[in-house]
Each structure stands twice: as structure tokens, then as C-alpha cells.
Amino acid sequence: MAEELNPFKISQLQLDKAAEKMQLDKTAHAILREPMNTLETTIPVRMDDGSVEVFTGFRVRYNTARGPAKGGVRYHPQENIDTVKALSAWMTWKCSLANLPFGGGKGGIICDTKKMSDSEVERMSRGYIRSVQREIGPETDILAPDVYTNPQIMAWMMDEYSALKGYNSFGVLTGKPVEVWGSEGRFDSTAMGGMYIMREAANKLKINLKGAKVIIQGFGNAGKFAFELAHNIGANVIAISDSKGGIYSEDGLDLAKLEAAKEKTGSVQGYQDKNAEKISNEKLLELKADVLIPAAMENQITGSNADNIIVPLLLELANGPVTPEADEILFEKGVVDLPDFLVNSGGVIVSYFEWVQNLQGYYWDIDEVYSKLDKIVTKSFHDVMKTQTEYAAKGKKITPREAAYIIAVSRVAAAMKVRGWY
Ligand code: NAD
């Protein structure tokens, strides 16, 4: 069953499914099933105690037919080449769906930064850049933060790359601190993009967002900003959770009180209010509301609980929260489930803006960033809806995820075709 396969096999199966529905050319399909380029590197790092530890790093360029590869670098003890390959494929489709002039890439190092000092992390990050320097660059492959990498690490990496080149190369990666020309709006861009999609989808489904009931799973970067932004447009967040469990109040929750509870007790479950009650993460997903936003982990809605989801609109702000089996159940039930690589594309779109600003040396204010982001995600949403309607008119029922895949894959295939790759 697909749910037990490794991530790269899952990404290939998803492509196969889309290829069949869109009757993709066989050669284009064969090219797109594999990354164009994979690199495994060895990074010796001098540790604080004087010993040398040897780390393994990866960089994968999945496809560059539409532009330079773009994707994050993850630091994780369980990092492996199949995960990096899968993530680079998903970046290819995400960039294509948003119609950015990028292909997809991803990288990582097998390491546990929780057991390393900051200076060890810095030396390892600089070592990684030295080992992949010939593969990366503003016109070939552009890096970004991901799991356990952050703006400080991006600043060290950019500095190392610039030192190797002999000039400042800010555009080699995105997600930098603003002091070295990161973009305004980078931190809430994922949630912001998701909220623009929520606005468009609610409009289509005739859900009035003023007073609408919203459930959010996860209280990290994505979940917290989603709470704030949903609240700002008049929605009522009635339940939220973190890894320890959830809290629910039909009257709506208060962000400042949630943050205080999290700070004091280590969990949103410490929230106190007369009508608030603790609930499990499982129960949270099954509450009655207008919008459900998984913003935590993958594989949260599966074959065993999909039938209990009773919201009309599900926005996948997290990566991979809905399994392929659940996808079909939700579709049959009439739940509109908008896929991760549409809903959370705001992050990579603002990364693209950062790269554009770095290349131009001309910087935009936050309003300009948001309005350009709005335009791109809104168009992506309507592209997906249009493709779904067009297929329905031909008698083919497809999910929003399949529609998004078809758009993304056909754009990459078209670029390969005109370039003469097949
Ligand atoms: P984060 O680490 O800041 O927060 C994750 C949150 O999920 C934490 O509150 C954690 O307590 C909670 N959590 C963990 N396990 C849980 C569980 N079983 N049930 C409920 N909550 C649980 O991460 P983030 O940056 O907010 O990312 C969340 C998701 O959004 C991930 O899937 C990530 O890939 C995706 N995403 C984030 C960004 C971004 O810019 N932050 C961009 C694209 C996609």
C-alpha cells in the first residue's frame, strides 16, 4: 500500500497517477520519474574538542527545464537520499504550479544539531557549501532553510559561498536575515498564502469567513500565523493543538492567552477559560467547523479517520497531512481538500521574491510583497479549479490534488518539449 512506501516511491506513484489522467507522453514521464542530478558529499568537520567528525550531505536537482533548481536544506539524524529526492520532486511541482521560473531541488545533512554547538553547526554548514559549491548558484540551484536550518545558517552559507566566489552572492539562497537582504514578509508568508487561498475557496463554497469556525492543528510557525491571520479577517478559531494535545472552545480562542499558556505550561492545553475544554488531536480533526487547517505533521488524516472529517473545506498548510487513501474518501464525501503544494506555496513564492530582489538589488516593502503574493496564489487556486472543471466536463472526476499535479507536470513537460528534451 502506498502509505507504507518510502517517500520517493510515493512521489513517483503520485506522478504516475497524474501522468495516466493527463495522458502524459511516455518519454516525458520517464524523464520526470527520476531526478536529473544527485550528489552525495562527505563533510569532515573539526568539532569543539579537536576531533574530526565526518558528515554525509546530499543535494538533488530534480528538474531544471523551467529554471534553476530551488529548495531547502534539512539537517536531520534520519535524513536520507530517498527523502531528499522526494522533496526535490515536490519542489518541482510546487514551483511549477505557482508558475515560478524555477525547477525543484533539495538538500540535507545527516546530523543531530541538538547535540552540536553553534560553532560546530557553523563549520558543518560552511563545509556543506564548499562540498556543493560547483552545483549551486543563483542561476543553477538556489538553497533555502528547511527542517532544523534557519536564517542564521543561511547567512553563514551565503557568506561561505560569497567568499569562495570573491564577491557577494546574496541570490545563492533565500530565507536570509533582512540584514543581508532577506525579504520582508518571509516568516508569515506560508500562512499568508494559505489565508489568501482560504479567502478564495470560502468565496467559491459560499462560506462567510466573518464568524466562520476554524480548526488548526499545530501551533508552530505555520499554525500560529494562520491563527493570527484567520482572526484578523474575522474568523473564529475554535480549536488548536500542539504535540501534547488540543484545546477547544465554541466561543473562540484568544491568541495572546494561548501564547501565555504555551509559555507557562509548555502546551496550548494549559489555556484556561470557562468554556474551554482539552481535547485530543484525533478529536480535534473531527470537530464540526467550516474550515480545518492541518499545520503540523504528515499523515494525520488517513484511511481510518477520513470518514469522520465533517468540514466542507480542508486546507493542507502542513506538508503531506492527508494520505492517498484518505484523499479518495474525502473526495467521495464532498470535502474540498486543497493540496499542500498549493496551500503552503506562499513560502517558496516569497523566496522567489527574495531572489528577484537580490538579483535586482532593489527592495520592496511588505505591502508590495503581500500584494504580489496574493496575485500569484489566487491565480494558482483558480487554475486548479478551472482544470478540475475542464476535466469534469470531459467526464473525468479529479481531485484538486490531481488537478494541481496535472497543471504542474504539464508545464514542466511543455518546457522540456520545446527545449528538445523529448
Ligand atoms: P513548527 O516546528 O514550527 O511547528 C510544528 C507544530 O506542530 C508545533 O506546534 C508542534 O507542537 C505541533 N505538532 C507536532 N506533532 C503534532 C501532532 N501529532 N499533533 C498536533 N500538533 C503537533 O513547524 P512549522 O514550520 O509550523 O511547519 C508545520 C508544517 O507546515 C510542516 O508540515 C511544514 O513542512 C509545513 N510548512 C511550513 C512552512 C513554513 O514556512 N513554516 C512552509 C511550508 C510548509
Side-chain angles (χ1 to χ4, degrees):
M1 208 155 85
E3 295 183 33
E4 286 156 18
L5 292 171
N6 83 33
F8 185 52
K9 289 274 181 292
I10 292 179
S11 76
Q12 287 183 317
L13 283 178
Q14 289 168 334
L15 172 69
D16 295 347
K17 217 167 139 193
E20 192 195 320
K21 298 244 160 148
M22 66 194 280
Q23 296 177 317
L24 179 66
D25 176 274
K26 283 196 167 41
T27 314
H29 186 187
I31 300 172
L32 291 175
R33 282 193 106 241
E34 297 291 337
M36 289 172 58
N37 191 300
T38 46
L39 175 71
E40 186 172 323
T41 66
T42 299
I43 311 158
V45 177
R46 177 81 58 195
M47 306 306 275
D48 292 345
D49 66 4
S51 66
V52 173
E53 200 160 317
V54 181
F55 294 90
T56 301
F58 308 102
R59 188 69 197 170
V60 174
R61 247 188 270 162
Y62 199 80
N63 188 288
T64 56
R66 286 171 50 85
K70 178 86 190 83
V73 184
R74 296 160 37 112
Y75 286 176
H76 202 277
Q78 272 91 46
E79 194 62 316
N80 63 74
I81 191 64
D82 280 340
T83 308
V84 180
K85 278 158 79 170
L87 290 163
S88 70
W90 290 324
M91 280 306 292
T92 309
W93 314 137
K94 192 188 278 197
C95 291
S96 176
L97 179 64
N99 215 1
L100 306 180
F102 285 151
K106 207 80 182 188
I109 304 180
I110 306 171
C111 63
D112 186 352
T113 49
K114 286 183 185 156
K115 295 186 181 142
M116 296 167 70
S117 70
D118 283 354
S119 52
E120 287 169 344
V121 172
E122 177 178 351
R123 287 193 291 275
M124 181 181 73
S125 305
R126 290 181 184 275
Y128 177 74
I129 291 300
R130 288 194 298 276
S131 74
V132 299
Q133 56 165 309
R134 283 180 198 84
E135 309 298 321
I136 63 171
E139 275 154 357
T140 49
D141 186 356
I142 304 145
L143 281 47
D146 204 287
V147 174
Y148 293 128
T149 49
N150 55 34
Q152 174 60 75
I153 292 174
M154 293 304 110
W156 289 326
M157 287 182 166
M158 178 279 295
D159 183 69
E160 188 68 22
Y161 185 78
S162 297
L164 290 163
K165 289 282 154 192
Y167 52 84
N168 277 330
S169 179
F170 297 118
V172 66
L173 50 80
T174 59
K176 299 179 290 294
V178 286
E179 292 83 349
V180 282
W181 309 111
S183 181
E184 294 292 341
R186 177 69 180 81
F187 295 106
D188 59 358
S189 55
T190 300
M192 195 59 138
M195 292 302 106
Y196 292 138
I197 301 259
M198 177 165 88
R199 180 196 63 207
E200 294 303 306
N203 205 4
K204 188 168 168 68
L205 298 178
K206 308 213 168 4
I207 297 170
N208 182 359
L209 284 178
K210 289 246 173 311
K213 291 179 182 169
V214 174
I215 307 163
I216 301 174
Q217 184 190 44
F219 195 57
N221 182 286
K224 213 185 285 183
F225 278 122
F227 187 118
E228 190 180 341
L229 299 170
H231 178 79
N232 290 350
I233 52 176
N236 210 7
V237 182
I238 58 162
I240 197 155
S241 62
D242 56 31
S243 57
K244 304 209 172 71
I247 187 89
Y248 162 60
S249 168
E250 199 55 24
D251 303 340
L253 300 164
D254 179 277
L255 183 58
K257 280 168 75 176
L258 278 169
E259 281 179 321
K262 177 98 185 165
E263 176 80 24
K264 196 166 157 209
T265 67
S267 169
V268 291
Q269 287 207 317
Y271 185 94
Q272 302 223 322
D273 200 36
K274 68 177 179 343
N275 290 326
E277 56 177 286
K278 289 182 187 173
I279 48 165
S280 67
N281 256 305
E282 294 71 42
K283 188 88 203 326
L284 171 125
L285 297 171
E286 298 171 4
L287 291 171
K288 190 167 183 302
D290 299 296
V291 188
L292 169 61
I293 308 179
M297 305 283 291
E298 60 278 8
N299 300 337
Q300 295 300 297
I301 299 169
T302 66
S304 44
N305 65 352
D307 212 27
N308 304 333
I309 306 292
I310 48 172
V311 290
L313 176 61
L314 198 157
L315 296 175
E316 298 181 14
L317 200 58
N319 276 318
V322 175
T323 66
E325 196 184 351
D327 220 7
E328 283 174 25
I329 300 170
L330 293 171
F331 190 55
E332 288 307 317
K333 275 171 66 87
V335 174
V336 175
D337 170 20
L338 298 178
D340 47 8
F341 70 112
L342 169 66
V343 176
N344 67 33
S345 60
V348 74
I349 294 168
V350 174
S351 275
Y352 161 60
F353 295 163
E354 182 172 333
W355 175 78
V356 169
Q357 292 170 83
N358 291 157
L359 295 192
Q360 294 184 337
Y362 176 65
Y363 290 87
W364 314 338
D365 64 21
I366 189 78
D367 292 343
E368 193 164 355
V369 170
Y370 285 159
S371 80
K372 286 186 157 82
L373 171 63
D374 190 355
K375 212 166 152 190
I376 293 180
V377 288
T378 297
K379 177 162 186 321
S380 297
F381 169 80
H382 290 289
D383 285 348
V384 169
M385 293 296 113
K386 187 164 163 259
T387 300
Q388 207 184 9
T389 311
E390 283 168 2
Y391 271 71
K394 289 187 271 181
K396 291 185 185 173
K397 279 168 67 176
I398 58 169
T399 63
R401 190 185 321 279
E402 286 168 336
Y405 254 96
I406 289 169
I407 296 166
V409 172
S410 54
R411 284 183 184 151
V412 180
M416 296 197 307
K417 180 78 185 162
V418 287
R419 292 179 70 136
W421 293 8
Y422 72 95

